[in-house]
Amino acid sequence: MHDKPLRRIADELTRRRPHSSHGARETVGPDRFGIDLDRAARFVDGTLGADDEARLAEEVAELLPLCWNLPNKAVETLTPIIDHLGGQRELMAWLDGHEGRPRLTARIFVLLGLLDRYTDDAAVLDTMRAARARDPFPAGLRGELLPETDEETLSSLAYRIEKRLADDEKEAVALSLATTGWLRRIADDADDPDPSVRELGSLMAHVQQDIGEAATPS
């Protein structure tokens, strides 16, 4: 994973996303998903072997996209792991060290963090509005972008990507790549772009490459 996007994301990567503007959600039973508590305890104690650590990373990766729809108790099983690693960005770096679902989940969550970071940036909003005046629904984003371009545009895309990651990994990858590709292009095409727009374009190029690599079997 490129270090620059990881350094730019906020710390609240595993927060429960607000759902007032996204409609009703199906309830996920707490007994269907979770983290093996003994495995997690041994990881925190430093006594977990490599194979079991890889399995723990898989469990964490499976849980993360469901955090918005799980009881607090289920989500709180992540806390000792995050504390042991040193924070949520360190959690992403740890997941990135494990191939497959953990690495892909980490890289998509970095994208979600960046979308949240720029969701109310005035210069980014102006650039998106100008781009959508020319092309309201770019390739791969028809039916995904909200009709109006406002402070919810990027956060809504983040929600949709996270939901897809819980439901269908390939669709999550496709929407992630469409989102990063669009934001990179509009930043590159902007006339006299604001520094935040230039930075967004650079970050999206890195994340697009990261997700593409994680989604391609080695």
Side-chain angles (χ1 to χ4, degrees), residues 21-40:
S21 61
H22 301 303
R25 295 173 175 152
E26 296 178 0
T27 300
V28 177
D31 58 335
R32 288 185 54 203
F33 301 94
I35 295 170
D36 184 291
L37 297 181
D38 176 68
R39 192 178 284 127

Side-chain angles (χ1 to χ4, degrees), residues 36-57 59 81 84 94 98:
D36 184 291
L37 297 181
D38 176 68
R39 192 178 284 127
R42 286 188 287 128
F43 176 69
V44 171
D45 290 342
T47 59
L48 193 64
D51 289 345
D52 279 337
E53 181 175 334
R55 179 56 194 146
L56 180 63
E59 292 173 349
I81 296 171
H84 174 69
W94 174 69
H98 297 275

Side-chain angles (χ1 to χ4, degrees), residues 34-195:
I35 295 170
D36 184 291
L37 297 181
D38 176 68
R39 192 178 284 127
R42 286 188 287 128
F43 176 69
V44 171
D45 290 342
T47 59
L48 193 64
D51 289 345
D52 279 337
E53 181 175 334
R55 179 56 194 146
L56 180 63
E58 290 278 351
E59 292 173 349
V60 171
E62 290 168 5
L63 181 66
L64 283 179
L66 299 165
C67 282
W68 46 261
N69 209 21
L70 288 173
N72 284 316
K73 184 176 181 180
V75 178
E76 286 169 2
T77 60
L78 286 170
T79 301
I81 296 171
I82 295 172
D83 290 346
H84 174 69
L85 290 168
Q88 296 194 29
R89 279 178 281 191
E90 289 78 9
L91 173 67
M92 296 303 133
W94 174 69
L95 288 172
D96 194 66
H98 297 275
E99 292 183 352
R101 175 78 179 206
R103 179 170 296 166
L104 180 62
T105 297
R107 295 182 180 193
I108 288 179
F109 262 73
V110 169
L111 170 61
L112 303 184
L114 291 171
L115 295 177
D116 285 342
R117 173 185 171 89
Y118 288 96
T119 194
D120 58 355
D121 185 289
V124 170
L125 285 170
D126 287 344
T127 300
M128 289 194 297
R129 290 189 183 104
R132 294 191 71 190
R134 299 187 297 270
D135 184 8
F137 296 102
L141 295 178
R142 181 173 293 276
E144 307 293 351
L145 281 168
L146 295 174
E148 299 295 326
T149 303
D150 56 25
E151 289 82 359
E152 287 209 12
T153 299
L154 293 184
S155 62
S156 175
L157 280 174
Y159 161 73
R160 290 171 183 265
I161 292 168
E162 188 173 6
K163 180 74 163 59
R164 297 285 171 74
L165 186 58
D167 297 336
D168 189 311
E169 186 177 296
K170 289 183 178 179
E171 288 189 6
V173 170
L175 183 53
S176 295
L177 295 179
T179 298
T180 53
W182 175 60
L183 292 173
R184 178 180 53 79
R185 288 192 302 274
I186 67 172
D188 289 344
D189 294 343
D191 295 327
D192 191 24
D194 184 90

